Amino acid sequence: MGIFDWKHWLVILIVVVLVFGTKRLKTLGSDVGDAIKGFRKAMNTEEGDKGPEQSSAQQPGAAPLNQAQTIEGQAQKVQDPVTRKD
């Protein structure tokens, strides 16, 4: 019993077919495959484009882009100029 009962899966399948229709379900697999291929292609193209730019853009002695950077300095109190009211 429970969710793994074959009767429950049959009811879920019937509801899915009624909601989406058989024509849309036939094209679902190819649409998902095309979307995944496009995503992978975009990721590979993006990584290939960034490789040479990162090495040339980074200055010698600078911290790598993925590491945290801190700004060193000392805070000073700024005083407002005293104005006289005559």
Side-chain angles (χ1 to χ4, degrees), residues 25-83:
L25 290 176
K26 287 179 184 177
T27 61
L28 180 69
S30 62
D31 291 343
V32 170
D34 290 340
I36 291 172
K37 285 179 186 177
F39 177 75
R40 285 183 182 171
K41 183 178 178 182
M43 292 300 293
N44 289 335
T45 304
E46 190 173 297
E47 288 176 4
D49 291 344
K50 286 185 179 179
E53 292 175 9
Q54 284 181 347
S55 61
S56 64
Q58 189 175 3
Q59 297 175 355
L65 296 176
N66 59 353
Q67 291 184 355
Q69 298 178 0
T70 59
I71 299 174
E72 306 258 342
Q74 185 175 12
Q76 296 178 356
K77 184 176 180 181
V78 178
Q79 296 179 350
D80 290 331
V82 179
T83 57

